[in-house]
Amino acid sequence: MASFSASVSHFSRISHTNTSLPHDNKISESQCRPFILSRCSHPLRKGLTLPREKDSPSTKICASFTDFSPNVSVEDKQLQKGETWSVHKFGGTCMGSSQRIKNVADIILDDDSERKLVVVSAMSKVTDMMYDLIHKAQSRDESYISSLDAVLEKHSSTAHDILDGDGLAIFLSQLHQDIRHGELWSAQMLSLAIRKNGTDCKWMDTREVLIVNPTSSNQVDPDYLESERRLEKWYSLNPCKVIIATGFIASTPQNIPTTLKRDGSDFSAAIMGALFRARQVTIWTDVDGVYSADPRKDKLNLQNYVKGFATIDNLALVNVEGTGMAGVPGTASAIFGAVKDVGANVIMISQASSEHSVCFAVPEKEVKAVAEALQSRFRQALDNGRLSQVAVIPNCSILAAVGQKMASTPGVSATLFNALAKANINVRAIAQGCSEYNITVVVKREDCIKALQAVHSRFYLSRTTIAMGIIGPGLIGSTLLDQLRDQASVLKEEFNIDLRVMGILSSKSMLLSDVGIDLARWRELREERGEVTNLEKFVQHVHGNHFIPNTALVDCTADSVIAGHYYDWLRRGIHVVTPNKKANSGPLDQLLLILGLSHTFTLCIQYLRLRALQRQSYTHYFYEATVGAGLPIVSTLRGLLETGDRILQIEGIFSGTLSYIFNNFKDGRAFSEVVAEAKEAGYTEPDPRDDLSGTDVARKVIILARESGLKLELSNIPVESLVPEPLRDCASAQEFMQQLPKFDQVLTKKQEDAENAGEVLRYVGVVDVINKKGVVELRRYKKDHPFAQLSGSDNIIAFTTRRYKDQPLIVRGPGAGAQVTAGGIFSDILRLASYLGAPS
């Protein structure tokens, strides 16, 4: 808390009674004096009285001084320093109420250390209350009296809660004596509370012990030798095993009270730890658990070699650059001399080994003065071209990883930068000491929280959290949402994966949430709180949550317009998971890139652009479900290629719908009858022509062909349609189904011919890599062929490769249905979580 000495210049024009230190040590009028503001003057102190304004209350400002002379004769009682001492520090919120002060007392009493020193701050809010009181008193605002009453009442009521008898009387008798620093009151209260429990305890006014030399308006340097000497003398007069010390306040070598600046109580504890040679210094705060960073930004348990992360906001980078800097002695000195002259604080420095540039971070409010000073200092060098620029990069934040074992642990830096890269966060500057106790990076201010979350997740194995947006809550999308709901708790508890659905978007409405949608009620919530669909707003909402470093959009539609946005989403650092085939099977024609309208432009060469972007960045694009629903088709193909195998041919039954139809098209059954059965069972699209046309199979063939290295277009694939020519233009699915029996004879004839030859009919897609072509058609297979052994809606895919030439590698399983398709998408989401750091 700021000393009342800040107001001395305001009162210096008031005549006062001269008060001097003993031993003829005089203090001149211009010196800072410790003032005491009180409602009534203490009878043993000489004072000065403020001139009374009209009808103003009678209030006195008094001055008191303490003799800190080192020549005072004291009884020699040796201070035992070392491992027997432990130091604790409790902040203002820990001391914020009577109950919390009782909790602090219990912690101290429960500590089994032989000797304890406890540093305390002022009670919560008291510092701000005192600043307000000072400002009102300085401006002659009579309401400072009521402000003073509020401060006194806060401490009086707290003391009545925790003290009684002599302890309460002692505290209340001192309450009006010195109100410059709330730490004085909180230290006395806590010491009396501990003495109430029968423990020998004394309180220390650290102005009598800690000596510091102010070096600037915001910094002081401890004088450890003088402080140690005064500590030993203080202890000789106050020997005890528990000391309650005031935080934040100290004195100069001239015995003038000063402070360790705002939030200086932690510094007080560190200094005391050094003076007492304490075994440990413990900083306490009133949170549930241990925080390794700003709890408003992230909360995690500490472990491993990195012990914590710190962030500093509102910074700017200054970059001084030029070839004329290399090998020129004194350049850095000149740069930082200019910075020192304007009183700016340099927070981080980074210099390239080439000596062509020096980069450093300063508070944003100081960067203008720094830039002007550097421009002035190096004007000639800039004009002559020896320096190319003095550049300012605003809106920056610092993220620092701190730990004691980092120096002996390989890969710490790699882990840090890998985590930031996977969160799509660009690092603007880096600084690391050779001790590796600290690694500092500069990032955009808007990325600071996301960066903090990303590195915490990576270093502490906390939950890998992904903000997800689900597009298309139809049959597949709604099934996926239900699967996410059912598995959420297992993923959190057993696999440290937190999948939060932040938005659900359909063609007409969308549901958004800042914390994650309750998936048990998403349908009714969409009815209650749904808003009109706006795709860009939806994407921005899901991606704009800075507290979650990873974002994924899951496209469960078959919409080419949605697929056209993938490239932009990936470029923005958004992961994409989808069963939508449109992007990967869209046109490759380069000419469309030049000519194209926006939609055509986005779809053209979409596959190549998406794959190239994924390789160049840490953004992931997963589409396993585009080919085999829940079957591992794409991943199997990639595994073969990545391990050096050569694909010769891929042949398969890729449609669960057509698999079901031809598995049941036997024993004299009509083709139209089997199609109607499949439609009734939900295997077909609402219009069965979408399945019978073969286009869906052709898209899967295109995807596998391109994965195999072929640059084929959909138009390059011959497709045998099972929709009779006259029925392709039917106005409705109902009309189509009514007319289909008229054309049964064609397929019945083919089925009978196959049966007579000991074969079966199967609708297949083939990628002929050797001949660089693909085909979709109805083929016949011997009854002992794997393709003839299928049942239900199973898919089967055979990979013929250089390794698997004589006996193809076969993948078989269910290839249709909402559950298996949603399961395939879910598997891709979990694969993404694994890539982002979730334990596998």
Side-chain angles (χ1 to χ4, degrees):
M1 214 206 76
S3 170
F4 212 155
S5 62
S7 64
V8 71
S9 61
H10 175 79
F11 294 124
S12 61
R13 65 179 182 270
I14 304 170
S15 61
H16 59 277
T17 305
N18 186 30
T19 308
S20 62
L21 286 171
H23 308 296
D24 296 324
N25 291 326
K26 304 288 185 182
I27 291 184
S28 67
E29 271 189 50
S30 62
Q31 283 183 291
C32 177
R33 300 184 181 186
F35 282 83
I36 298 177
L37 178 63
S38 64
R39 295 297 303 274
C40 55
S41 179
H42 193 282
L44 298 181
R45 299 174 189 257
K46 295 182 179 180
L48 56 90
T49 304
L50 283 170
R52 294 186 61 185
E53 302 291 344
K54 185 177 180 180
D55 298 326
S56 64
S58 177
T59 305
K60 292 187 177 181
I61 302 293
C62 305
S64 74
F65 302 90
T66 304
D67 184 4
F68 293 138
S69 171
N71 297 320
V72 175
S73 170
V74 296
E75 181 181 355
D76 186 18
K77 294 189 178 179
Q78 186 69 34
L79 170 63
Q80 302 285 332
K81 301 176 183 177
E83 293 287 316
T84 60
W85 285 95
S86 65
V87 175
H88 298 268
K89 180 264 174 179
F90 294 92
T93 51
C94 291
M95 301 289 293
S97 67
S98 56
Q99 183 56 54
R100 290 186 176 183
I101 294 175
K102 291 177 183 177
N103 293 342
V104 170
D106 290 340
I107 291 172
I108 297 168
L109 293 170
D110 289 342
D111 180 6
D112 58 4
S113 301
E114 184 177 344
R115 296 178 174 88
K116 291 162 276 194
L117 180 131
V118 181
V119 175
V120 295
S121 299
M123 291 181 71
S124 177
K125 306 299 183 184
V126 166
T127 298
D128 293 331
M129 293 170 74
M130 291 300 296
Y131 273 120
D132 177 63
L133 178 120
I134 290 169
H135 293 152
K136 287 179 178 178
Q138 286 179 320
S139 60
R140 307 286 181 169
D141 183 346
E142 295 178 8
S143 66
Y144 86 89
I145 296 295
S146 59
S147 298
L148 175 58
D149 286 338
V151 173
L152 297 175
E153 174 58 28
K154 181 180 179 72
H155 290 84
S156 176
S157 61
T158 303
H160 277 88
D161 283 346
I162 62 176
L163 302 175
D164 54 31
D166 291 343
L168 177 61
I170 291 171
F171 179 79
L172 294 178
S173 68
Q174 299 294 321
L175 185 58
H176 292 73
Q177 299 305 310
D178 193 339
I179 64 170
R180 288 165 296 174
H181 302 288
E183 290 81 3
L184 298 168
W185 288 325
S186 59
Q188 291 180 69
M189 262 197 294
L190 181 59
S191 67
L192 290 168
I194 292 173
R195 287 171 59 183
K196 179 180 174 181
N197 286 275
T199 300
D200 180 26
C201 176
K202 300 250 179 21
W203 80 278
M204 173 193 290
D205 181 347
T206 50
R207 293 173 300 180
E208 301 176 17
V209 173
L210 294 188
I211 304 301
V212 298
N213 292 293
T215 59
S216 70
S217 61
N218 294 312
Q219 187 175 351
V220 295
D221 287 340
D223 184 338
Y224 284 102
L225 290 177
E226 180 60 22
S227 297
E228 193 163 27
R229 186 162 53 192
R230 296 197 182 198
L231 171 63
E232 290 172 353
K233 295 188 176 201
W234 182 94
Y235 190 83
S236 69
L237 295 172
N238 303 278
C240 59
K241 292 189 175 182
V242 179
I243 301 172
I244 310 299
T246 56
F248 178 70
I249 56 177
S251 293
T252 68
Q254 294 77 33
N255 301 322
I256 299 173
T258 186
T259 72
L260 303 183
K261 311 310 171 188
R262 189 83 156 169
D263 301 320
S265 293
D266 288 354
F267 194 14
S268 298
I271 297 172
M272 284 297 185
L275 292 176
F276 279 87
R277 314 293 193 270
R279 174 173 54 88
Q280 64 183 23
V281 175
T282 304
I283 308 295
W284 293 83
T285 187
D286 60 326
V287 294
D288 297 328
V290 179
Y291 285 74
S292 57
D294 187 338
R296 294 164 295 185
K297 299 179 179 179
D298 206 0
K299 172 184 177 182
L300 289 160
N301 292 324
L302 295 174
Q303 60 184 36
N304 300 332
Y305 33 85
V306 174
K307 292 301 180 186
F309 294 97
T311 58
I312 306 174
D313 295 324
N314 302 319
L315 302 177
L317 280 178
V318 180
N319 186 45
V320 182
E321 186 175 307
T323 56
M325 295 172 59
V328 179
T331 302
S333 174
I335 291 172
F336 294 110
V339 175
K340 178 178 180 293
D341 289 343
V342 298
N345 180 30
V346 176
I347 296 172
M348 188 208 80
I349 303 171
S350 179
Q351 181 175 13
S353 60
S354 63
E355 297 186 69
H356 285 179
S357 68
V358 174
C359 175
F360 55 93
V362 297
E364 205 158 37
K365 63 183 179 181
E366 299 174 355
V367 72
K368 182 179 179 181
V370 169
E372 291 174 352
L374 292 172
Q375 294 278 0
S376 174
R377 174 64 181 80
F378 294 101
R379 173 52 53 200
Q380 184 176 359
L382 288 165
D383 292 342
N384 294 337
R386 286 184 285 113
L387 288 186
S388 59
Q389 66 172 345
V390 175
V392 173
I393 304 173
N395 301 319
C396 294
S397 292
I398 277 179
L399 169 66
V402 183
Q404 288 187 323
K405 297 181 181 179
M406 291 161 61
S408 59
T409 307
V412 175
S413 296
T415 302
L416 175 72
F417 294 119
N418 185 262
L420 294 174
K422 286 186 174 182
N424 202 45
I425 293 168
N426 185 41
V427 175
R428 294 189 165 188
I430 304 165
Q432 178 178 1
C434 61
S435 67
E436 283 196 72
Y437 286 156
N438 180 296
I439 303 173
T440 300
V441 298
V442 179
V443 299
K444 292 180 183 178
R445 183 188 305 163
E446 63 196 61
D447 289 337
C448 181
I449 295 176
K450 183 186 292 187
L452 183 60
Q453 292 278 354
V455 296
H456 258 158
S457 177
R458 188 67 183 88
F459 276 95
Y460 293 92
L461 291 180
S462 64
R463 286 175 182 162
T464 298
T465 305
I466 303 176
M468 297 199 307
I470 307 297
I471 302 174
L475 180 60
I476 303 300
S478 61
T479 303
L480 173 63
L481 286 166
D482 291 342
Q483 290 180 356
L484 290 169
R485 174 201 64 203
D486 296 340
Q487 196 66 7
S489 61
V490 175
L491 291 175
K492 288 179 182 179
E493 294 169 10
E494 297 185 18
F495 299 97
N496 278 337
I497 298 173
D498 185 1
L499 303 177
R500 297 191 196 176
V501 178
M502 313 299 286
I504 300 172
L505 179 140
S506 67
S507 59
K508 295 182 180 180
S509 68
M510 63 182 183
L511 174 64
L512 306 177
S513 171
D514 292 327
V515 295
I517 295 170
D518 180 359
L519 296 185
R521 301 178 57 242
W522 71 267
R523 291 175 177 85
E524 56 188 274
L525 289 173
R526 188 173 59 154
E527 293 295 325
E528 295 171 3
R529 305 199 329 242
E531 53 188 281
V532 176
T533 288
N534 182 320
L535 182 60
E536 182 52 37
K537 179 181 178 181
F538 175 83
V539 173
Q540 181 58 39
H541 174 83
V542 176
H543 187 50
N545 190 318
H546 296 298
F547 288 90
I548 302 178
N550 309 301
T551 304
L553 291 175
V554 183
D555 175 19
C556 297
T557 74
D559 193 322
S560 60
V561 175
I562 298 294
H565 290 280
Y566 292 176
Y567 183 84
D568 178 61
W569 293 344
L570 290 168
R571 187 176 52 81
R572 290 164 63 179
I574 302 171
H575 309 284
V576 176
V577 178
T578 184
N580 189 342
K581 307 172 190 64
K582 297 299 174 62
N584 288 13
S585 60
L588 288 171
D589 191 351
Q590 289 279 358
L591 182 60
L592 294 178
L593 182 59
I594 301 172
L595 301 177
L597 298 173
S598 60
H599 175 49
T600 306
F601 169 85
T602 309
L603 278 180
C604 72
I605 65 167
Q606 184 79 4
Y607 173 75
L608 296 180
R609 296 173 71 209
L610 291 174
R611 296 288 283 118
L613 181 61
Q614 185 178 16
R615 293 189 186 102
Q616 294 166 8
S617 68
Y618 283 91
T619 311
H620 298 283
Y621 172 46
F622 291 135
Y623 47 89
E624 183 70 76
T626 58
V627 176
L631 298 180
I633 307 303
V634 175
S635 56
T636 298
L637 175 56
R638 282 194 182 176
L640 293 170
L641 292 170
E642 290 169 359
T643 56
D645 204 351
R646 181 185 175 191
I647 306 299
L648 305 178
Q649 177 178 280
I650 304 172
E651 182 181 17
I653 297 173
F654 293 101
S655 168
T657 301
L658 293 173
S659 175
Y660 179 89
I661 288 173
F662 284 99
N663 288 338
N664 291 278
F665 183 35
K666 58 186 177 180
D667 301 330
R669 298 185 69 186
F671 183 74
S672 60
E673 176 191 346
V674 179
V675 172
E677 179 181 278
K679 185 175 187 300
E680 181 68 24
Y683 286 115
T684 73
E685 295 294 331
D687 189 338
R689 286 176 293 181
D690 294 340
D691 299 295
L692 298 175
S693 68
T695 302
D696 187 66
V697 176
R699 289 190 181 279
K700 296 178 180 180
V701 168
I702 281 291
I703 293 170
L704 294 178
R706 291 175 178 175
E707 289 286 326
S708 302
L710 303 183
K711 295 181 180 179
L712 295 180
E713 296 282 8
L714 195 59
S715 59
N716 300 141
I717 307 295
V719 179
E720 180 180 351
S721 176
L722 299 179
V723 180
E725 181 76 31
L727 302 184
R728 292 177 187 175
D729 295 326
C730 284
S732 66
Q734 183 179 4
E735 181 184 349
F736 167 75
M737 292 302 298
Q738 289 173 350
Q739 297 295 325
L740 185 59
K742 297 178 182 179
F743 300 88
D744 280 343
Q745 190 58 41
V746 176
L747 282 172
T748 297
K749 178 67 167 60
K750 290 184 178 182
Q751 193 275 333
E752 290 174 350
D753 290 346
E755 181 67 29
N756 292 334
E759 297 174 337
V760 297
L761 292 178
R762 294 294 183 260
Y763 194 80
V764 299
V766 179
V767 179
D768 186 347
V769 179
I770 295 176
N771 296 306
K772 298 182 179 179
K773 65 180 184 179
V775 65
V776 176
E777 62 186 7
L778 194 62
R779 285 186 176 182
R780 288 162 52 167
Y781 294 89
K782 292 293 185 182
K783 290 188 176 180
D784 60 352
H785 192 279
F787 286 14
Q789 309 301 315
L790 293 185
S791 61
S793 62
D794 279 4
N795 282 5
I796 186 168
I797 294 87
F799 295 91
T800 303
T801 72
R802 186 172 57 188
R803 295 175 186 160
Y804 298 94
K805 188 172 184 179
D806 298 329
Q807 185 174 353
L809 174 64
I810 291 177
V811 178
R812 172 182 170 175
Q819 288 292 336
V820 295
T821 304
I825 301 168
F826 201 166
S827 179
D828 269 352
I829 294 171
L830 296 180
R831 187 152 61 105
L832 171 63
S834 178
Y835 280 29
L836 295 175
S840 57

